[in-house]
Amino acid sequence: MTDWFQQQGPVFQALLAGGFTWALTAMGAGVVFGLTSVNRKLFDAMLGFAGGVMLAASYWSLLAPSIEAASEQGWPSWLPAAVGFLFGGAFLYGMDRSLPHLHRGLPTQSAEGPKTAWQRSVLLIAAITLHNIPEGLAVGVAFGSAAAGIESAPLSGATALAIGIGLQNIPEGIAVAVPLRGEGMSRTKAWMIGQASAIVEPIAAVIGAAIVVYAAPVLPFALSFAAGAMVYVVVEELIPETHQKGNEDLATLFLMLGFAVMMVLDVSLG
């Protein structure tokens, strides 16, 4: 970690980290210029890995610092973690119900949320955007908590979280763009959709960092809120998607691998 990065404010750090996670999504989606299909087993393994990273980050980078921050602020240590976690899931549930979107690999008529005349590509972007908002928030509140001086959430830990989210964004970019190309979409349009939804990550990261920097009392709630939102995405979207074609065991093994990779990153760097 360079001295220059350490000297920047937490909001700007979050912006840079969110830009990094978006760039890795775009890099993964760039594979579409060379491939027209992804083996379904590889697809499910990649999604399982992404889910494992998100689950590990939810505890090591978010819930544990939330509990510590609550104790420092005089709350019962469990209260903000539990409340924020549940509200994070409820927020994603509400977004899931109110925003038209379409999960990958499903026909257009299977779109969720209110009925709409949106095109298939727009519905896909909406679904992936819902997925990426919690990741951006998680990165932002991690950098905000590092600025607050929480012992279990140092700057190196926030950086580890950004690296972990970025790593799992590479296969996500592939998993979005290549199937679209396989459906006949042009390479450029498939890449644009593959990377477009991740643009929300630096925006959400800045919002998350600003909230905890300028409203310090909400810090433990913001950390656990991001954790609850990420767990909701994993359980509602990623795990069911990996179980559609009989690859449950493979996806589970890669979920555990992703969890281990994120845990090692957080503990070793944090």
Side-chain angles (χ1 to χ4, degrees), residues 137-206:
L137 284 174
V139 170
V141 297
F143 279 96
S145 61
I150 298 176
E151 186 176 346
S152 64
L155 182 58
S156 56
T159 304
L161 174 62
I163 292 172
I165 294 294
L167 287 175
Q168 62 97 26
N169 276 358
I170 295 175
E172 281 192 0
I174 298 171
V176 173
V178 175
L180 291 176
R181 173 58 182 162
E183 293 177 3
M185 190 175 289
S186 71
R187 286 182 170 87
T188 300
K189 187 174 181 180
W191 178 80
M192 288 295 293
I193 292 176
Q195 61 82 35
S197 63
I199 292 176
V200 75
E201 291 196 9
I203 299 171
V206 168

Side-chain angles (χ1 to χ4, degrees), residues 69-94:
S71 297
E72 291 180 357
Q73 292 185 2
W75 292 95
S77 58
W78 55 269
L79 182 60
V83 172
F85 184 83
L86 294 175
F87 268 92
F91 172 78
L92 259 291
Y93 175 79

Side-chain angles (χ1 to χ4, degrees), residues 14-238:
L15 175 63
L16 293 177
F20 167 77
T21 62
W22 165 78
L24 290 188
T25 305
M27 184 176 74
V31 171
V32 76
F33 291 103
L35 298 176
T36 57
S37 64
V38 174
N39 178 275
R40 182 66 200 205
K41 287 187 176 181
L42 177 60
F43 180 86
D44 289 338
M46 290 189 297
L47 291 182
F49 181 88
V53 169
M54 293 172 70
L55 286 178
S58 296
Y59 175 72
W60 297 101
S61 299
L62 299 170
L63 285 175
S66 171
I67 292 169
E68 181 179 335
S71 297
E72 291 180 357
Q73 292 185 2
W75 292 95
S77 58
W78 55 269
L79 182 60
V83 172
F85 184 83
L86 294 175
F87 268 92
F91 172 78
L92 259 291
Y93 175 79
M95 293 288 288
D96 206 45
R97 292 288 183 176
S98 60
L99 179 67
H101 62 284
L102 176 67
H103 293 303
R104 294 164 289 202
L106 296 178
T108 304
Q109 57 268 29
S110 297
E112 299 179 9
K115 298 298 181 183
T116 178
W118 289 359
Q119 294 182 347
R120 176 180 175 83
S121 59
V122 178
L123 290 167
L124 286 166
I125 290 175
I128 308 159
T129 299
L130 278 176
H131 180 151
N132 287 332
I133 288 173
E135 296 178 6
L137 284 174
V139 170
V141 297
F143 279 96
S145 61
I150 298 176
E151 186 176 346
S152 64
L155 182 58
S156 56
T159 304
L161 174 62
I163 292 172
I165 294 294
L167 287 175
Q168 62 97 26
N169 276 358
I170 295 175
E172 281 192 0
I174 298 171
V176 173
V178 175
L180 291 176
R181 173 58 182 162
E183 293 177 3
M185 190 175 289
S186 71
R187 286 182 170 87
T188 300
K189 187 174 181 180
W191 178 80
M192 288 295 293
I193 292 176
Q195 61 82 35
S197 63
I199 292 176
V200 75
E201 291 196 9
I203 299 171
V206 168
I207 293 172
I211 288 173
V212 299
V213 168
Y214 298 111
V218 306
L219 173 57
F221 295 94
L223 285 163
S224 55
F225 179 94
M230 289 215 296
V231 169
Y232 183 93
V233 168
V234 173
V235 177
E236 192 272 340
E237 178 183 346
L238 293 185

